[in-house]
Amino acid sequence: CVLKASQKRKPLSRLLEQLLRNLEKRDPNQFFAWPVNDNFAPGYSTIIKKPMDFSTMKQKIDDNEYKSLNCFISDFKLMCNNAMKYNKPGTVYHKAAKRLLHAGLKQLTPQKLRPLGDILT
Ligand SMILES: COc1ccc(C(=O)NC2CCC2)cc1-c1cc(C(C)=O)n2cccnc12
């Protein structure tokens, strides 16, 4: 069937979905898969002003909210930094966030992304 213009996946969206899938693989416990719930994280919504998680990033891709790769990377960093702010060093979540941020940014270096061509310019 022919995709209507509105349904046509923009090249950037397809790329971001692929990058998101690769980042999610680095979160095997799915600590970052969904918004953090105040019931499990007391006071979270008062401490963290701009929550972010992978499901929200996926929704933003689907809604074409990301106008550039840098906006996508900023949300990824925000998500990890939120976890390193709310959770004390040494906790399972602080360690997971630090590891995820490090591994994720390695995947998002220009060297790794250049093969994807001029989609990013
Ligand atoms: C979507 O968020 C989650 C989902 C599941 C779990 C979870 O399975 N936690 C089990 C490991 C020990 C209980 C934790 C979290 C979680 C993430 C976070 C983050 C990312 O800060 N968090 C902070 C305090 C308490 N729980 C969490």
PDB file of all heavy atoms in Angstrom, residues 79-111:
ATOM      1  N   MET A  79      18.235  12.326  30.695  1.00  0.00           N
ATOM      2  CA  MET A  79      17.725  11.113  31.364  1.00  0.00           C
ATOM      3  C   MET A  79      18.800  10.537  32.299  1.00  0.00           C
ATOM      4  O   MET A  79      18.525  10.244  33.468  1.00  0.00           O
ATOM      5  CB  MET A  79      17.332  10.081  30.294  1.00  0.00           C
ATOM      6  CG  MET A  79      16.814   8.781  30.846  1.00  0.00           C
ATOM      7  SD  MET A  79      16.419   7.619  29.519  1.00  0.00           S
ATOM      8  CE  MET A  79      18.063   7.161  28.994  1.00  0.00           C
ATOM      9  N   CYS A  80      20.007  10.429  31.802  1.00  0.00           N
ATOM     10  CA  CYS A  80      21.099   9.854  32.619  1.00  0.00           C
ATOM     11  C   CYS A  80      21.482  10.794  33.756  1.00  0.00           C
ATOM     12  O   CYS A  80      21.665  10.355  34.904  1.00  0.00           O
ATOM     13  CB  CYS A  80      22.320   9.581  31.741  1.00  0.00           C
ATOM     14  SG  CYS A  80      22.041   8.354  30.443  1.00  0.00           S
ATOM     15  N   ASN A  81      21.557  12.084  33.476  1.00  0.00           N
ATOM     16  CA  ASN A  81      21.952  13.041  34.519  1.00  0.00           C
ATOM     17  C   ASN A  81      20.892  13.158  35.608  1.00  0.00           C
ATOM     18  O   ASN A  81      21.220  13.307  36.788  1.00  0.00           O
ATOM     19  CB  ASN A  81      22.275  14.411  33.896  1.00  0.00           C
ATOM     20  CG  ASN A  81      23.595  14.370  33.117  1.00  0.00           C
ATOM     21  OD1 ASN A  81      24.546  13.702  33.534  1.00  0.00           O
ATOM     22  ND2 ASN A  81      23.628  15.030  31.975  1.00  0.00           N
ATOM     23  N   ASN A  82      19.610  13.049  35.230  1.00  0.00           N
ATOM     24  CA  ASN A  82      18.542  13.019  36.246  1.00  0.00           C
ATOM     25  C   ASN A  82      18.814  11.898  37.244  1.00  0.00           C
ATOM     26  O   ASN A  82      18.746  12.089  38.459  1.00  0.00           O
ATOM     27  CB  ASN A  82      17.184  12.777  35.592  1.00  0.00           C
ATOM     28  CG  ASN A  82      16.628  14.001  34.895  1.00  0.00           C
ATOM     29  OD1 ASN A  82      17.094  15.121  35.104  1.00  0.00           O
ATOM     30  ND2 ASN A  82      15.638  13.784  34.057  1.00  0.00           N
ATOM     31  N   ALA A  83      19.158  10.718  36.718  1.00  0.00           N
ATOM     32  CA  ALA A  83      19.363   9.543  37.578  1.00  0.00           C
ATOM     33  C   ALA A  83      20.588   9.731  38.461  1.00  0.00           C
ATOM     34  O   ALA A  83      20.608   9.304  39.623  1.00  0.00           O
ATOM     35  CB  ALA A  83      19.509   8.290  36.725  1.00  0.00           C
ATOM     36  N   MET A  84      21.609  10.421  37.931  1.00  0.00           N
ATOM     37  CA  MET A  84      22.824  10.639  38.736  1.00  0.00           C
ATOM     38  C   MET A  84      22.643  11.775  39.723  1.00  0.00           C
ATOM     39  O   MET A  84      23.391  11.920  40.683  1.00  0.00           O
ATOM     40  CB  MET A  84      24.023  10.897  37.808  1.00  0.00           C
ATOM     41  CG  MET A  84      24.431   9.649  37.040  1.00  0.00           C
ATOM     42  SD  MET A  84      25.998   9.823  36.167  1.00  0.00           S
ATOM     43  CE  MET A  84      25.461  10.713  34.758  1.00  0.00           C
ATOM     44  N   LYS A  85      21.561  12.561  39.514  1.00  0.00           N
ATOM     45  CA  LYS A  85      21.255  13.648  40.468  1.00  0.00           C
ATOM     46  C   LYS A  85      20.402  13.096  41.607  1.00  0.00           C
ATOM     47  O   LYS A  85      20.706  13.316  42.795  1.00  0.00           O
ATOM     48  CB  LYS A  85      20.516  14.768  39.740  1.00  0.00           C
ATOM     49  CG  LYS A  85      20.110  15.942  40.647  1.00  0.00           C
ATOM     50  CD  LYS A  85      19.402  17.027  39.869  1.00  0.00           C
ATOM     51  CE  LYS A  85      18.968  18.174  40.795  1.00  0.00           C
ATOM     52  NZ  LYS A  85      18.144  19.179  40.050  1.00  0.00           N
ATOM     53  N   TYR A  86      19.352  12.357  41.252  1.00  0.00           N
ATOM     54  CA  TYR A  86      18.404  11.892  42.276  1.00  0.00           C
ATOM     55  C   TYR A  86      19.010  10.763  43.125  1.00  0.00           C
ATOM     56  O   TYR A  86      18.867  10.732  44.337  1.00  0.00           O
ATOM     57  CB  TYR A  86      17.114  11.394  41.616  1.00  0.00           C
ATOM     58  CG  TYR A  86      16.157  10.788  42.618  1.00  0.00           C
ATOM     59  CD1 TYR A  86      15.325  11.581  43.407  1.00  0.00           C
ATOM     60  CD2 TYR A  86      16.139   9.392  42.811  1.00  0.00           C
ATOM     61  CE1 TYR A  86      14.494  11.015  44.361  1.00  0.00           C
ATOM     62  CE2 TYR A  86      15.302   8.823  43.767  1.00  0.00           C
ATOM     63  CZ  TYR A  86      14.480   9.635  44.539  1.00  0.00           C
ATOM     64  OH  TYR A  86      13.663   9.068  45.480  1.00  0.00           O
ATOM     65  N   ASN A  87      19.707   9.818  42.466  1.00  0.00           N
ATOM     66  CA  ASN A  87      20.236   8.639  43.165  1.00  0.00           C
ATOM     67  C   ASN A  87      21.671   8.887  43.634  1.00  0.00           C
ATOM     68  O   ASN A  87      22.495   9.384  42.879  1.00  0.00           O
ATOM     69  CB  ASN A  87      20.203   7.427  42.221  1.00  0.00           C
ATOM     70  CG  ASN A  87      18.803   7.142  41.717  1.00  0.00           C
ATOM     71  OD1 ASN A  87      17.968   6.625  42.438  1.00  0.00           O
ATOM     72  ND2 ASN A  87      18.515   7.564  40.482  1.00  0.00           N
ATOM     73  N   LYS A  88      21.934   8.521  44.884  1.00  0.00           N
ATOM     74  CA  LYS A  88      23.282   8.745  45.444  1.00  0.00           C
ATOM     75  C   LYS A  88      24.313   7.868  44.721  1.00  0.00           C
ATOM     76  O   LYS A  88      23.982   6.752  44.274  1.00  0.00           O
ATOM     77  CB  LYS A  88      23.278   8.378  46.942  1.00  0.00           C
ATOM     78  CG  LYS A  88      22.280   9.197  47.761  1.00  0.00           C
ATOM     79  CD  LYS A  88      22.827  10.574  48.131  1.00  0.00           C
ATOM     80  CE  LYS A  88      21.760  11.443  48.795  1.00  0.00           C
ATOM     81  NZ  LYS A  88      20.744  11.915  47.766  1.00  0.00           N
ATOM     82  N   PRO A  89      25.562   8.369  44.625  1.00  0.00           N
ATOM     83  CA  PRO A  89      26.624   7.503  44.067  1.00  0.00           C
ATOM     84  C   PRO A  89      26.671   6.177  44.833  1.00  0.00           C
ATOM     85  O   PRO A  89      26.412   6.150  46.037  1.00  0.00           O
ATOM     86  CB  PRO A  89      27.905   8.327  44.311  1.00  0.00           C
ATOM     87  CG  PRO A  89      27.430   9.750  44.391  1.00  0.00           C
ATOM     88  CD  PRO A  89      26.048   9.692  45.020  1.00  0.00           C
ATOM     89  N   GLY A  90      26.948   5.097  44.093  1.00  0.00           N
ATOM     90  CA  GLY A  90      27.012   3.786  44.747  1.00  0.00           C
ATOM     91  C   GLY A  90      25.709   3.015  44.650  1.00  0.00           C
ATOM     92  O   GLY A  90      25.682   1.791  44.770  1.00  0.00           O
ATOM     93  N   THR A  91      24.590   3.739  44.397  1.00  0.00           N
ATOM     94  CA  THR A  91      23.315   3.011  44.238  1.00  0.00           C
ATOM     95  C   THR A  91      23.282   2.339  42.859  1.00  0.00           C
ATOM     96  O   THR A  91      23.984   2.767  41.930  1.00  0.00           O
ATOM     97  CB  THR A  91      22.110   3.979  44.328  1.00  0.00           C
ATOM     98  OG1 THR A  91      22.274   4.991  43.317  1.00  0.00           O
ATOM     99  CG2 THR A  91      22.034   4.636  45.701  1.00  0.00           C
ATOM    100  N   VAL A  92      22.418   1.328  42.755  1.00  0.00           N
ATOM    101  CA  VAL A  92      22.330   0.566  41.496  1.00  0.00           C
ATOM    102  C   VAL A  92      21.931   1.495  40.347  1.00  0.00           C
ATOM    103  O   VAL A  92      22.426   1.356  39.219  1.00  0.00           O
ATOM    104  CB  VAL A  92      21.343  -0.619  41.659  1.00  0.00           C
ATOM    105  CG1 VAL A  92      19.917  -0.156  41.899  1.00  0.00           C
ATOM    106  CG2 VAL A  92      21.397  -1.541  40.447  1.00  0.00           C
ATOM    107  N   TYR A  93      21.099   2.497  40.666  1.00  0.00           N
ATOM    108  CA  TYR A  93      20.604   3.386  39.593  1.00  0.00           C
ATOM    109  C   TYR A  93      21.645   4.403  39.170  1.00  0.00           C
ATOM    110  O   TYR A  93      21.776   4.717  37.991  1.00  0.00           O
ATOM    111  CB  TYR A  93      19.325   4.092  40.060  1.00  0.00           C
ATOM    112  CG  TYR A  93      18.284   3.132  40.532  1.00  0.00           C
ATOM    113  CD1 TYR A  93      17.830   3.149  41.841  1.00  0.00           C
ATOM    114  CD2 TYR A  93      17.785   2.151  39.676  1.00  0.00           C
ATOM    115  CE1 TYR A  93      16.891   2.232  42.289  1.00  0.00           C
ATOM    116  CE2 TYR A  93      16.845   1.236  40.111  1.00  0.00           C
ATOM    117  CZ  TYR A  93      16.403   1.276  41.416  1.00  0.00           C
ATOM    118  OH  TYR A  93      15.485   0.363  41.862  1.00  0.00           O
ATOM    119  N   HIS A  94      22.412   4.915  40.148  1.00  0.00           N
ATOM    120  CA  HIS A  94      23.475   5.889  39.810  1.00  0.00           C
ATOM    121  C   HIS A  94      24.533   5.199  38.938  1.00  0.00           C
ATOM    122  O   HIS A  94      24.948   5.724  37.896  1.00  0.00           O
ATOM    123  CB  HIS A  94      24.104   6.449  41.084  1.00  0.00           C
ATOM    124  CG  HIS A  94      25.037   7.602  40.857  1.00  0.00           C
ATOM    125  ND1 HIS A  94      26.328   7.460  40.370  1.00  0.00           N
ATOM    126  CD2 HIS A  94      24.853   8.936  41.030  1.00  0.00           C
ATOM    127  CE1 HIS A  94      26.896   8.655  40.270  1.00  0.00           C
ATOM    128  NE2 HIS A  94      26.037   9.557  40.646  1.00  0.00           N
ATOM    129  N   LYS A  95      24.888   3.978  39.335  1.00  0.00           N
ATOM    130  CA  LYS A  95      25.900   3.226  38.573  1.00  0.00           C
ATOM    131  C   LYS A  95      25.381   2.885  37.173  1.00  0.00           C
ATOM    132  O   LYS A  95      26.099   3.025  36.178  1.00  0.00           O
ATOM    133  CB  LYS A  95      26.298   1.948  39.336  1.00  0.00           C
ATOM    134  CG  LYS A  95      27.207   2.234  40.540  1.00  0.00           C
ATOM    135  CD  LYS A  95      27.798   0.969  41.156  1.00  0.00           C
ATOM    136  CE  LYS A  95      26.804   0.276  42.041  1.00  0.00           C
ATOM    137  NZ  LYS A  95      27.428  -0.793  42.877  1.00  0.00           N
ATOM    138  N   ALA A  96      24.110   2.491  37.109  1.00  0.00           N
ATOM    139  CA  ALA A  96      23.522   2.133  35.805  1.00  0.00           C
ATOM    140  C   ALA A  96      23.485   3.355  34.888  1.00  0.00           C
ATOM    141  O   ALA A  96      23.770   3.259  33.693  1.00  0.00           O
ATOM    142  CB  ALA A  96      22.115   1.576  36.004  1.00  0.00           C
ATOM    143  N   ALA A  97      23.160   4.522  35.459  1.00  0.00           N
ATOM    144  CA  ALA A  97      23.081   5.744  34.651  1.00  0.00           C
ATOM    145  C   ALA A  97      24.449   6.142  34.129  1.00  0.00           C
ATOM    146  O   ALA A  97      24.607   6.508  32.970  1.00  0.00           O
ATOM    147  CB  ALA A  97      22.488   6.875  35.486  1.00  0.00           C
ATOM    148  N   LYS A  98      25.473   6.016  34.998  1.00  0.00           N
ATOM    149  CA  LYS A  98      26.823   6.408  34.582  1.00  0.00           C
ATOM    150  C   LYS A  98      27.306   5.510  33.448  1.00  0.00           C
ATOM    151  O   LYS A  98      27.837   5.955  32.436  1.00  0.00           O
ATOM    152  CB  LYS A  98      27.767   6.276  35.803  1.00  0.00           C
ATOM    153  CG  LYS A  98      29.046   7.071  35.686  1.00  0.00           C
ATOM    154  CD  LYS A  98      29.743   7.137  37.041  1.00  0.00           C
ATOM    155  CE  LYS A  98      31.075   7.867  36.942  1.00  0.00           C
ATOM    156  NZ  LYS A  98      31.811   7.811  38.214  1.00  0.00           N
ATOM    157  N   ARG A  99      27.005   4.201  33.618  1.00  0.00           N
ATOM    158  CA  ARG A  99      27.427   3.218  32.601  1.00  0.00           C
ATOM    159  C   ARG A  99      26.674   3.446  31.285  1.00  0.00           C
ATOM    160  O   ARG A  99      27.256   3.443  30.198  1.00  0.00           O
ATOM    161  CB  ARG A  99      27.129   1.804  33.145  1.00  0.00           C
ATOM    162  CG  ARG A  99      28.090   0.754  32.642  1.00  0.00           C
ATOM    163  CD  ARG A  99      27.915  -0.633  33.268  1.00  0.00           C
ATOM    164  NE  ARG A  99      26.637  -0.906  33.852  1.00  0.00           N
ATOM    165  CZ  ARG A  99      26.456  -1.143  35.162  1.00  0.00           C
ATOM    166  NH1 ARG A  99      27.476  -1.075  35.997  1.00  0.00           N
ATOM    167  NH2 ARG A  99      25.268  -1.421  35.649  1.00  0.00           N
ATOM    168  N   LEU A 100      25.387   3.721  31.420  1.00  0.00           N
ATOM    169  CA  LEU A 100      24.555   3.944  30.218  1.00  0.00           C
ATOM    170  C   LEU A 100      25.012   5.192  29.472  1.00  0.00           C
ATOM    171  O   LEU A 100      25.159   5.179  28.246  1.00  0.00           O
ATOM    172  CB  LEU A 100      23.087   4.066  30.627  1.00  0.00           C
ATOM    173  CG  LEU A 100      22.087   4.397  29.509  1.00  0.00           C
ATOM    174  CD1 LEU A 100      22.083   3.325  28.429  1.00  0.00           C
ATOM    175  CD2 LEU A 100      20.691   4.595  30.079  1.00  0.00           C
ATOM    176  N   LEU A 101      25.274   6.260  30.215  1.00  0.00           N
ATOM    177  CA  LEU A 101      25.708   7.520  29.585  1.00  0.00           C
ATOM    178  C   LEU A 101      27.021   7.304  28.829  1.00  0.00           C
ATOM    179  O   LEU A 101      27.149   7.657  27.652  1.00  0.00           O
ATOM    180  CB  LEU A 101      25.887   8.610  30.645  1.00  0.00           C
ATOM    181  CG  LEU A 101      26.330   9.975  30.125  1.00  0.00           C
ATOM    182  CD1 LEU A 101      25.294  10.587  29.195  1.00  0.00           C
ATOM    183  CD2 LEU A 101      26.611  10.921  31.301  1.00  0.00           C
ATOM    184  N   HIS A 102      27.953   6.646  29.482  1.00  0.00           N
ATOM    185  CA  HIS A 102      29.277   6.406  28.875  1.00  0.00           C
ATOM    186  C   HIS A 102      29.145   5.558  27.613  1.00  0.00           C
ATOM    187  O   HIS A 102      29.619   5.937  26.536  1.00  0.00           O
ATOM    188  CB  HIS A 102      30.169   5.702  29.912  1.00  0.00           C
ATOM    189  CG  HIS A 102      31.579   5.460  29.447  1.00  0.00           C
ATOM    190  ND1 HIS A 102      32.497   6.477  29.325  1.00  0.00           N
ATOM    191  CD2 HIS A 102      32.192   4.329  29.022  1.00  0.00           C
ATOM    192  CE1 HIS A 102      33.639   5.969  28.865  1.00  0.00           C
ATOM    193  NE2 HIS A 102      33.476   4.670  28.674  1.00  0.00           N
ATOM    194  N   ALA A 103      28.426   4.444  27.746  1.00  0.00           N
ATOM    195  CA  ALA A 103      28.265   3.540  26.592  1.00  0.00           C
ATOM    196  C   ALA A 103      27.462   4.215  25.486  1.00  0.00           C
ATOM    197  O   ALA A 103      27.787   4.102  24.295  1.00  0.00           O
ATOM    198  CB  ALA A 103      27.576   2.257  27.049  1.00  0.00           C
ATOM    199  N   GLY A 104      26.450   4.965  25.869  1.00  0.00           N
ATOM    200  CA  GLY A 104      25.587   5.604  24.872  1.00  0.00           C
ATOM    201  C   GLY A 104      26.324   6.652  24.079  1.00  0.00           C
ATOM    202  O   GLY A 104      26.247   6.698  22.852  1.00  0.00           O
ATOM    203  N   LEU A 105      27.115   7.495  24.756  1.00  0.00           N
ATOM    204  CA  LEU A 105      27.822   8.575  24.044  1.00  0.00           C
ATOM    205  C   LEU A 105      28.888   8.012  23.114  1.00  0.00           C
ATOM    206  O   LEU A 105      29.186   8.591  22.081  1.00  0.00           O
ATOM    207  CB  LEU A 105      28.410   9.572  25.050  1.00  0.00           C
ATOM    208  CG  LEU A 105      27.383  10.414  25.800  1.00  0.00           C
ATOM    209  CD1 LEU A 105      28.065  11.376  26.750  1.00  0.00           C
ATOM    210  CD2 LEU A 105      26.466  11.166  24.828  1.00  0.00           C
ATOM    211  N   LYS A 106      29.421   6.815  23.492  1.00  0.00           N
ATOM    212  CA  LYS A 106      30.407   6.186  22.597  1.00  0.00           C
ATOM    213  C   LYS A 106      29.743   5.796  21.281  1.00  0.00           C
ATOM    214  O   LYS A 106      30.341   5.842  20.216  1.00  0.00           O
ATOM    215  CB  LYS A 106      31.016   4.941  23.265  1.00  0.00           C
ATOM    216  CG  LYS A 106      32.303   5.251  24.030  1.00  0.00           C
ATOM    217  CD  LYS A 106      33.226   4.062  24.253  1.00  0.00           C
ATOM    218  CE  LYS A 106      32.589   2.852  24.831  1.00  0.00           C
ATOM    219  NZ  LYS A 106      33.577   1.907  25.412  1.00  0.00           N
ATOM    220  N   GLN A 107      28.470   5.450  21.359  1.00  0.00           N
ATOM    221  CA  GLN A 107      27.726   5.057  20.153  1.00  0.00           C
ATOM    222  C   GLN A 107      27.341   6.291  19.332  1.00  0.00           C
ATOM    223  O   GLN A 107      26.985   6.172  18.169  1.00  0.00           O
ATOM    224  CB  GLN A 107      26.422   4.337  20.545  1.00  0.00           C
ATOM    225  CG  GLN A 107      26.606   2.896  20.966  1.00  0.00           C
ATOM    226  CD  GLN A 107      25.257   2.292  21.389  1.00  0.00           C
ATOM    227  OE1 GLN A 107      25.004   2.124  22.552  1.00  0.00           O
ATOM    228  NE2 GLN A 107      24.404   1.994  20.471  1.00  0.00           N
ATOM    229  N   LEU A 108      27.394   7.452  19.945  1.00  0.00           N
ATOM    230  CA  LEU A 108      26.890   8.657  19.277  1.00  0.00           C
ATOM    231  C   LEU A 108      28.018   9.585  18.841  1.00  0.00           C
ATOM    232  O   LEU A 108      27.807  10.758  18.600  1.00  0.00           O
ATOM    233  CB  LEU A 108      25.916   9.383  20.222  1.00  0.00           C
ATOM    234  CG  LEU A 108      24.667   8.578  20.599  1.00  0.00           C
ATOM    235  CD1 LEU A 108      23.934   9.240  21.758  1.00  0.00           C
ATOM    236  CD2 LEU A 108      23.736   8.430  19.395  1.00  0.00           C
ATOM    237  N   THR A 109      29.234   9.051  18.763  1.00  0.00           N
ATOM    238  CA  THR A 109      30.366   9.896  18.333  1.00  0.00           C
ATOM    239  C   THR A 109      30.286  10.117  16.815  1.00  0.00           C
ATOM    240  O   THR A 109      29.736   9.279  16.085  1.00  0.00           O
ATOM    241  CB  THR A 109      31.702   9.189  18.634  1.00  0.00           C
ATOM    242  OG1 THR A 109      31.656   7.894  17.998  1.00  0.00           O
ATOM    243  CG2 THR A 109      31.913   9.030  20.127  1.00  0.00           C
ATOM    244  N   PRO A 110      30.847  11.236  16.329  1.00  0.00           N
ATOM    245  CA  PRO A 110      30.824  11.503  14.883  1.00  0.00           C
ATOM    246  C   PRO A 110      31.399  10.317  14.074  1.00  0.00           C
ATOM    247  O   PRO A 110      30.844   9.944  13.048  1.00  0.00           O
ATOM    248  CB  PRO A 110      31.699  12.741  14.745  1.00  0.00           C
ATOM    249  CG  PRO A 110      31.631  13.421  16.078  1.00  0.00           C
ATOM    250  CD  PRO A 110      31.485  12.318  17.084  1.00  0.00           C
ATOM    251  N   GLN A 111      32.483   9.705  14.630  1.00  0.00           N
ATOM    252  CA  GLN A 111      33.087   8.579  13.883  1.00  0.00           C
ATOM    253  C   GLN A 111      32.042   7.472  13.658  1.00  0.00           C
ATOM    254  O   GLN A 111      31.953   6.893  12.603  1.00  0.00           O
ATOM    255  CB  GLN A 111      34.276   7.976  14.666  1.00  0.00           C
ATOM    256  CG  GLN A 111      35.467   8.897  14.778  1.00  0.00           C
ATOM    257  CD  GLN A 111      35.239  10.046  15.751  1.00  0.00           C
ATOM    258  OE1 GLN A 111      34.297  10.033  16.554  1.00  0.00           O
ATOM    259  NE2 GLN A 111      36.067  11.062  15.659  1.00  0.00           N
TER     260      GLN A 111
END
